[in-house]
């Protein structure tokens, strides 16, 4: 069995710290009293960010075990610890809870142990005094809910005491909310609650907190307060009454947007119905729509009008579709951009769909979920000095995310990289990023043509929507530039047929093309509740037949007798859906010499697919089934997102 790597080795291997930095920390560790972990010292020396360290610890499973910490630091005697472990297993309770109930440890020991487990500093905060600077940073409701309290602030950072560490994503969301870098500190829960009382007893009670109010609860009492029993207004009267001073409506819209962002929703759907039916609000989360809220019918005109005011749209125009953008930091606590589209529906009503643009840093290339073969081929292709790489799939399948991850892998000062996008969602230092605007005639084709005069090495085009854009992209890839773009097609072989039908020259196109990656996003099984099981013969045979037979499956390294699957169960983490997060499934077509000859002859899609499979292409469905066999998702999800 291969020896497990130490945290320091992993950090150097992933180029998160330099070898000389690790050596410095190892020397420093020998001199520290009391003993400090490598991760803590690396952060203290400024070699790595706190959030990046926590992410690595989560991903690699390098967190220390609670029982090991209790024993190593002699917080609990061995016999007492074994007794508590046995009781925790029988009663299905956390080990720390059992130890406290047995009075083997106190609150301070528990907090110190959590600090050691998460590699965070422990601190007593009973001497921290209330300050207006601290009061106005975090909303009291949010602080009490998560058992956190601010203890110190600089112009760029906030020291935040926590009873239990917030997740990496929660910390990043909170950093975006308060626009400060968070430095987590572990403290005793009773000291945190006492500090909250000191901070918020005056500041929050008198309503002087400067944080925008989002901690309203959308329960029956709040919804009933909206429905005050007045007559249902007509359209014109309702439009006149909707202003930004309508506090209930302002809070309602802000809360809907805030909750959608925190739940990682991609879209918000607001759907009014005729007569006295409720307005339905739905979120699209992990690719599926879920009901979020039902709002009294009297707001069926007011709610769309409020959103149109925020997006600077014409609230009097209800007969035709409109679209616009909202910079939400003007209205609420998040620095996020929203795209708004309205559509007139039956009964003089309007539906509104809000797309949440989750701006941020690119996903690491290794975290895209590509198979070893696909990752190797894609990684080799993006190192070419020229050629065309296409990522294809339906809207919302993660095409732009994949392209940005690929560019991040090769982004370095020696290269000049231009991107044309609509909109710019992911930003990277070193890229020159342009947002196209078709309304003023600045299209992808115009941007691409201009890029060729700006001495580029690599060009990324958000989408090939027409023959003009595709032709310029082919020309650019043949004149010494690496061109990356996306297209809306179902499979990789279909893409070749689509571009040839657009009118591209088959000879130029075949010479320019390096590879095509088709992808979909399927929901992942929730790691907290998924259930492993051995499938029966009927289910297993159906799955293998769907993949292509036993021989093909064996070639992928799987044996029928050793297959274990997983299925959705449902828990509080995944809101009883059984799924949490998404993963990519891929189909990578490499343009070989044999395939180039077929493209020049403009053969049909069936022959292109046969050649691609002969060249080693794993289809979308097959890649999805391999991820089912890995226990990442189930076959129902793969069938939902894959046609063939």
């Amino acid at each position: 069995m291969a020896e497990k790597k130490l945290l320091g080795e992993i950090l150097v291997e992933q180029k998160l710290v330099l070898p000389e930095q690790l050596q410095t920390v190892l020397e420093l560790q020998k001199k520290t009293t009391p003993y400090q972990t490598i991760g803590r010292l690396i952060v203290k020396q400024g070699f790595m960010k706190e959030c990046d360290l926590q992410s690595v610890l989560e991903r690699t499973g390098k967190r220390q075990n609670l029982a090991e910490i209790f024993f190593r630091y002699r917080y609990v005697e061995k016999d007492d610890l074994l007794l508590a472990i046995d009781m925790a297993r029988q009663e299905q309770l956390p080990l720390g809870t059992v130890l406290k109930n047995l009075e083997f440890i106190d609150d301070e020991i528990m907090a110190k142990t959590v600090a050691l487990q998460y590699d965070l500093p422990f601190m007593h905060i009973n001497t921290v005094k209330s300050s207006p600077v601290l009061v106005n940073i975090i909303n009291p409701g949010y602080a009490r809910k998560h058992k956190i309290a601010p203890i110190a602030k600089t112009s760029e950072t906030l020291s935040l005491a926590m009873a239990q560490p917030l997740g990496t994503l929660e910390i990043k969301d909170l950093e975006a909310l308060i626009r400060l870098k968070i430095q987590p500190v572990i403290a005793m829960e009773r000291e945190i609650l006492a500090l909250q009382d000191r901070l918020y007893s005056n500041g929050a009670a008198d309503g002087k907190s400067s944080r925008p109010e989002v901690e309203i609860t959308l329960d029956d009492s709040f919804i009933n307060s909206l429905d005050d029993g007045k007559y249902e207004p007509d359209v014109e009267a309702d439009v006149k009454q909707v202003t930004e001073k309508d506090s209930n409506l302002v809070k309602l819209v802000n809360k809907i947007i805030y909750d959608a962002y925190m739940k990682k929703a991609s879209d918000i759907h607001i759907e009014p119905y005729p007569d006295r039916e409720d307005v339905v609000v739905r979120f699209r989360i992990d690719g599926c729509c879920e009901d979020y809220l039902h709002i009294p019918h009297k707001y069926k005109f007011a709610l769309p009008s409020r959103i149109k005011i925020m997006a600077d749209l014409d609230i009097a125009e209800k007969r035709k579709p409109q679209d616009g953008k909202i910079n939400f930091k003007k209205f609420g606590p998040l620095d996020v951009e929203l795209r708004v589209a309205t559509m007139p529906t039956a009964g003089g009503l309007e539906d509104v769909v809000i797309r949440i643009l989750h701006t941020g840093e690119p996903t690491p290339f290794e975290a895209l979920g590509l198979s070893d073969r696909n990752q190797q081929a894609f990684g080799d292709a993006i190192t070419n000095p020229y050629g065309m790489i296409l990522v294809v799939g339906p809207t919302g399948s993660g095409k732009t995310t994949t392209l940005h991850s690929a560019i991040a892998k090769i982004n370095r000062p020696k290269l000049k990289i231009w991107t044309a996008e609509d909109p710019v969602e992911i930003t990277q230092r070193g890229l020159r990023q342009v947002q196209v605007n078709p309304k003023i005639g600045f299209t992808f084709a115009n941007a691409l043509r201009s890029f060729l005069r700006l001495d580029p090495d690599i060009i990324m085009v958000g989408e090939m929507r027409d023959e003009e854009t595709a032709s310029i992209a082919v020309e650019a890839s043949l004149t010494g530039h690496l061109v990356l773009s996306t297209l809306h097609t179902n499979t990789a072989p279909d893409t070749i047929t689509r571009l040839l039908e657009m009118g591209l020259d088959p000879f130029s196109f075949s010479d320019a093309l390096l590879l095509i990656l088709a992808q979909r996003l399927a929901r992942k099984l929730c790691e907290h509740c998924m259930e492993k099981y051995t499938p029966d013969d009927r289910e297993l045979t159906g799955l293998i037949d769907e993949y292509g037979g036993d021989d093909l499956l064996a070639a992928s390294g799987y044996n029928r007798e050793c297959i274990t699957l997983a299925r959705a169960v449902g828990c509080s983490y995944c809101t009883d859906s059984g799924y949490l997060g998404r993963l990519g499934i891929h189909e990578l077509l490499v343009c070989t010499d044999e395939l180039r000859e077929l493209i020049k002859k403009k053969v049909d899609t069936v022959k292109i697919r046969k050649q691609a499979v002969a060249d080693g292409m794993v289809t979308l469905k097959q890649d999805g089934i391999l991820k089912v066999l890995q226990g990442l998702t189930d076959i129902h999800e793969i069938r939902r997102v894959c046609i063939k």
Side-chain angles (χ1 to χ4, degrees), residues 25 168 231 260 360 581:
V25 169
T168 305
Y231 63 91

Side-chain angles (χ1 to χ4, degrees), residues 233-244 246 249-250 253 270 272 279 298-318 322 326 331 340-343 348-352 354:
D234 61 27
V235 177
E236 293 303 322
D238 184 67
V239 167
K240 290 175 183 176
Q241 79 175 26
V242 176
T243 68
E244 295 193 29
D246 188 336
L249 194 58
V250 170
V253 173
I270 296 170
V279 179
K298 67 164 283 186
Y299 277 83
K300 64 186 177 184
F301 299 118
L303 192 56
S305 294
R306 167 63 188 167
I307 295 167
K308 287 164 77 173
I309 288 171
M310 294 169 71
D312 291 325
L313 300 179
D314 184 358
I315 63 171
E317 178 56 75
K318 298 177 181 288
Q322 298 184 65
I326 297 174
F331 306 96
V340 177
T342 70
M343 174 62 69
L349 303 171
E350 281 184 294
D351 270 35
V352 180
I354 303 173

Side-chain angles (χ1 to χ4, degrees), residues 319-361:
R319 299 168 299 172
K320 62 182 183 182
Q322 298 184 65
D323 60 86
K325 294 180 180 179
I326 297 174
N327 186 353
F328 189 58
K329 68 181 177 183
K330 294 179 182 177
F331 306 96
L334 297 173
D335 186 2
V336 62
E337 188 173 325
L338 311 169
R339 279 194 296 181
V340 177
T342 70
M343 174 62 69
T345 52
L349 303 171
E350 281 184 294
D351 270 35
V352 180
V353 177
I354 303 173
R355 167 64 58 89
I356 301 173
L357 304 180
H358 290 278
T359 58
E361 298 178 354

Side-chain angles (χ1 to χ4, degrees), residues 499-514:
L499 288 168
L500 292 175
E501 288 175 351
M502 271 188 188
L504 287 186
D505 174 45
F507 291 90
S508 299
F509 176 47
S510 63
D511 288 341
L513 185 64
L514 294 175

Side-chain angles (χ1 to χ4, degrees), residues 223-231 296 298-299:
I223 299 302
N224 291 337
S225 73
L226 296 177
D227 196 2
D228 55 12
K230 293 181 181 178
Y231 63 91
K298 67 164 283 186
Y299 277 83

Side-chain angles (χ1 to χ4, degrees), residues 274-511:
D275 302 323
R276 302 182 67 84
E277 290 189 52
D278 288 346
V279 179
V280 177
V281 179
R282 299 196 288 166
F283 292 166
R284 185 177 294 278
I285 301 173
D286 292 339
C288 294
C289 285
E290 299 176 6
D291 272 14
Y292 165 69
L293 187 66
H294 285 230
I295 301 170
H297 67 282
K298 67 164 283 186
Y299 277 83
K300 64 186 177 184
F301 299 118
L303 192 56
S305 294
R306 167 63 188 167
I307 295 167
K308 287 164 77 173
I309 288 171
M310 294 169 71
D312 291 325
L313 300 179
D314 184 358
I315 63 171
E317 178 56 75
K318 298 177 181 288
R319 299 168 299 172
K320 62 182 183 182
Q322 298 184 65
D323 60 86
K325 294 180 180 179
I326 297 174
N327 186 353
F328 189 58
K329 68 181 177 183
K330 294 179 182 177
F331 306 96
L334 297 173
D335 186 2
V336 62
E337 188 173 325
L338 311 169
R339 279 194 296 181
V340 177
T342 70
M343 174 62 69
T345 52
L349 303 171
E350 281 184 294
D351 270 35
V352 180
V353 177
I354 303 173
R355 167 64 58 89
I356 301 173
L357 304 180
H358 290 278
T359 58
E361 298 178 354
T363 303
F365 185 73
E366 293 74 17
L368 289 175
L370 292 162
S371 66
D372 292 341
R373 179 257 180 190
N374 290 348
Q375 186 170 308
Q376 180 66 44
F378 202 161
D380 292 343
I382 58 179
T383 59
N384 279 290
Y386 57 86
M388 179 186 288
I389 294 173
L390 299 175
V391 180
V392 304
T395 302
S397 59
K399 301 185 294 296
T400 303
T401 299
T402 298
L403 283 184
H404 268 283
S405 298
I407 289 175
K409 189 173 176 63
I410 56 175
N411 182 11
R412 55 186 187 274
K414 292 182 180 180
L415 297 175
K416 182 66 178 247
I417 305 175
W418 283 96
T419 76
E421 303 169 67
D422 183 25
V424 175
E425 295 186 48
I426 301 171
T427 57
Q428 292 188 54
R429 185 172 180 80
L431 268 58
R432 308 312 301 150
Q433 296 179 262
V434 173
Q435 184 156 319
V436 300
N437 188 351
K439 290 182 179 179
I440 60 171
F442 186 40
T443 61
F444 282 117
N446 291 338
L448 186 50
R449 194 178 285 109
S450 298
F451 286 168
L452 296 177
R453 298 192 287 270
L454 296 170
D455 188 30
D457 292 301
I458 299 171
I459 297 170
M460 183 187 119
V461 186
E463 186 184 339
M464 285 186 181
R465 293 178 178 170
D466 49 49
E467 191 270 337
E468 182 185 11
T469 307
S471 296
I472 300 170
V474 169
E475 179 188 337
S477 60
L478 290 173
T479 53
H481 308 95
L482 182 65
V483 179
L484 301 95
S485 188
T486 72
L487 204 69
H488 288 113
T489 53
N490 287 324
T491 66
D494 288 344
T495 306
I496 294 174
T497 309
R498 170 77 60 83
L499 288 168
L500 292 175
E501 288 175 351
M502 271 188 188
L504 287 186
D505 174 45
F507 291 90
S508 299
F509 176 47
S510 63
D511 288 341

Side-chain angles (χ1 to χ4, degrees), residues 286 290 523-531 566-581 632-634 637:
D286 292 339
E290 299 176 6
R523 292 184 296 172
K524 285 176 65 177
L525 290 171
C526 175
E527 295 178 358
H528 299 92
C529 65
M530 69 176 179
E531 180 184 33
R567 56 187 162 213
V569 178
C571 65
S572 58
Y573 286 96
C574 57
T575 60
D576 292 323
S577 68
Y579 302 93
L580 187 64
L632 299 174
T633 185
D634 58 27
E637 267 300 292

